[in-house]
Amino acid sequence: MGGGLNKGILFCVFFIFANSKTDIYEEIINIKNGLNFAKKVLVTGESTIVVLDEILGLLTRNIITVDDIKVLIDAKDEGTELILTGTEMNSELMQYADAVYEIKSIK
């Protein structure tokens, strides 16, 4: 076997389950911490694949901005795949994507 680096996959899920305003505030802080961790992983190249699941929903809910996501995109190196998921694609963000997929239920 070769002696190359074995980099892993980072998978972050961004959902808000809170009911009260205090809980929502705490979850937003946790989301921001998760985004900062993802940025660190992207900057250091610790993972070859970084999946930020349901991050596009944070845009829809005005928890983060397109600029927040652009910072993540700019932070990654060429050897890292950054995958953003969500149910709605922001038209402004689409220009920064290498590929956009829409998955539909058939049955």
Side-chain angles (χ1 to χ4, degrees):
M1 289 270 148
L5 293 175
N6 184 9
K7 296 182 181 182
I9 297 172
L10 173 66
F11 191 89
C12 297
V13 180
F14 295 98
F15 287 112
I16 292 186
F17 296 105
N19 293 324
S20 73
K21 286 189 178 207
T22 303
D23 290 342
I24 290 172
Y25 177 74
E26 288 178 18
E27 290 214 20
I28 289 171
I29 290 171
N30 290 334
I31 285 168
K32 299 282 185 173
N33 288 335
L35 290 173
N36 286 330
F37 179 73
K39 181 181 174 189
K40 175 188 164 273
V41 169
L42 290 165
V43 167
T44 60
E46 292 177 33
S47 295
T48 54
I49 300 173
V50 175
V51 180
L52 303 179
D53 192 32
E54 293 300 329
I55 193 168
L56 298 177
L58 300 178
L59 283 171
T60 304
R61 296 180 76 172
N62 296 316
I63 294 170
I64 63 172
T65 66
V66 170
D67 287 337
D68 293 327
I69 293 180
K70 284 173 33 181
V71 166
L72 296 172
I73 293 169
D74 292 340
K76 77 175 200 69
D77 63 20
E78 277 193 36
T80 303
E81 290 291 327
L82 177 59
I83 301 168
L84 312 175
T85 73
T87 56
E88 293 182 37
M89 180 59 172
N90 178 289
S91 60
E92 183 182 351
L93 188 61
M94 193 173 299
Q95 67 182 321
Y96 302 102
D98 293 329
V100 177
Y101 298 94
E102 182 176 11
I103 301 171
K104 295 180 185 182
S105 176
I106 297 188
K107 182 176 180 184

